[in-house]
């Protein structure tokens, strides 16, 4: 008689465990997420018919405040213009080029510590161009780098990125980019 009770308990527990696993699988379905033609590294989850994606995947700075459980995504509207002298350009020939970057920033509704402009080559190597602290909170401002010379060594796509740092102890996060194509 005792063994029948033990078997019945084991059967009930195994059924409960199996249904819990099935429930968890149906709730946490992994989904592939694409943004502007690129697949997001961490993807997302489908939970109760809603797709959830990590906020850090959307090219914005994230400020987490554990005291009040608040997450703020900081993604200002940034327009980047590239100047060779007084002439705007987009594509270049391989070789060295002296230019500067003009960034127009608006819709910045959060305090930030500093901004930076950097260039990334087709291999993923990043070279900082210029950075600057943001002394006064402004919802819109302009940031122009000094003239600098860069060697476009290989043909391909180079990314000029505009970065923000929310707090002094944080790292810089790219919030906008302009692509330069270096031609042979």
């Amino acid at each position: 008689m005792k063994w029948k009770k033990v078997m019945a308990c084991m059967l009930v527990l195994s059924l409960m465990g199996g249904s819990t696993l099935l429930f968890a699988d149906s709730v946490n379905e992994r989904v592939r997420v694409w943004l502007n033609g690129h697949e997001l590294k961490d993807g997302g989850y489908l939970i109760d018919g809603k797709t959830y994606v990590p906020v850090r995947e959307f090219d914005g700075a994230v400020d987490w405040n554990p005291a009040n459980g608040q997450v703020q995504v900081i993604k200002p509207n940034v327009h980047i213009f590239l100047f060779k002298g007084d002439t705007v350009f987009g594509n270049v020939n391989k070789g060295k080029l002296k230019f500067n970057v003009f960034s127009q920033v608006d819709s910045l509704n959060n305090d930030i510590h500093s901004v930076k402009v950097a260039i990334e080559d087709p291999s993923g190597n990043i070279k900082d161009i210029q950075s600057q602290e943001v002394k006064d909170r402004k919802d819109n401002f302009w940031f122009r780098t000094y003239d600098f010379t860069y060697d476009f060594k290989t043909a391909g796509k180079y990314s000029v990125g505009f970065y923000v740092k929310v707090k002094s102890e944080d790292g810089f996060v790219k919030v906008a980019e302009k692509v330069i194509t270096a031609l042979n």
Side-chain angles (χ1 to χ4, degrees):
M1 187 71 161
K2 232 179 194 182
W3 67 271
K4 286 183 182 179
K5 288 182 182 180
V6 170
M7 286 301 285
C9 283
M10 285 178 52
L11 180 61
V12 168
L13 290 173
S14 68
L15 287 175
M16 284 177 48
S19 65
T20 303
L21 290 175
L22 289 175
F23 177 74
D25 267 351
S26 67
V27 170
N28 291 325
E29 182 181 335
R30 296 253 321 146
V31 293
R32 294 172 68 190
V33 179
W34 293 76
L35 178 66
N36 293 333
H38 298 285
E39 188 171 8
L40 298 181
K41 180 178 68 172
D42 292 332
Y45 292 94
L46 186 63
I47 301 173
D48 294 331
K50 295 180 185 175
T51 305
Y52 294 89
V53 180
V55 294
R56 294 188 192 279
E57 294 281 346
F58 286 103
D59 292 335
V62 177
D63 187 21
W64 162 245
N65 185 339
N68 63 11
Q70 224 176 33
V71 173
Q72 291 188 32
V73 179
I74 301 164
K75 177 99 169 115
N77 188 28
V78 181
H79 301 280
I80 300 172
F81 303 94
L82 308 169
F83 285 93
K84 181 175 78 174
D86 290 334
T87 306
V88 177
F89 71 94
N91 294 337
V92 298
N93 292 317
K94 285 187 344 184
K96 292 185 178 184
L97 178 68
K98 183 178 184 178
F99 68 100
N100 66 68
V101 179
F102 177 82
S103 303
Q104 176 190 2
V105 181
D106 62 62
S107 303
L108 179 61
N109 299 315
N110 302 80
D111 290 328
I112 60 171
H113 179 268
S114 50
V115 296
K116 172 178 87 168
V117 173
I119 188 166
E120 182 176 351
D121 70 17
S123 300
N125 301 312
I126 299 174
K127 177 179 173 50
D128 289 350
I129 296 170
Q130 186 176 332
S131 62
Q132 176 179 313
E133 282 189 28
V134 177
K135 301 279 187 203
D136 300 317
R137 181 172 190 251
K138 300 175 185 175
D139 66 344
N140 63 72
F141 61 93
W142 298 270
F143 178 66
R144 189 167 193 157
T145 66
Y146 302 116
D147 284 344
F148 67 97
T149 302
Y150 186 79
D151 191 1
F152 294 91
K153 295 178 183 176
T154 61
K157 301 210 180 282
Y158 292 74
S159 170
V160 174
F162 184 86
Y163 297 75
V164 299
K165 182 190 288 191
V166 178
K167 298 174 184 158
S168 62
E169 64 272 10
D170 293 344
F172 280 101
V173 177
K174 187 186 331 183
V175 296
E177 70 178 345
K178 174 69 88 183
V179 174
I180 302 172
T181 302
L183 309 169
N184 281 326

